[in-house]
Amino acid sequence: MKLKEQELYTISGGIAINATLINAFARAISTVLDLGRTVGSAIRRLYTKNYC
């Protein structure tokens, strides 16, 4: 199908938000939170000198 130049300007695409994209964002947030917990625990262990 051949479109004229004027018709090409009127084409608009939508943003498709599907389950895969939502799952990726949820996993990214979960990973960041886990990383924060790990770093926080390591800092706390350094200050309390408790390495059990």
Side-chain angles (χ1 to χ4, degrees):
M1 176 178 188
K2 294 238 179 194
L3 297 175
K4 296 177 186 171
E5 188 173 342
Q6 188 63 28
E7 291 173 325
L8 289 173
Y9 288 124
T10 61
I11 295 175
S12 63
I15 298 175
I17 298 178
N18 54 13
T20 305
L21 186 62
I22 294 171
N23 192 17
F25 280 128
R27 282 186 180 219
I29 291 170
S30 177
T31 301
V32 169
L33 288 175
D34 287 341
L35 184 63
R37 280 190 203 106
T38 303
V39 170
S41 295
I43 291 171
R44 188 183 61 219
R45 276 190 241 128
L46 283 173
Y47 281 121
T48 61
K49 307 261 192 265
N50 186 6
Y51 300 107
C52 98

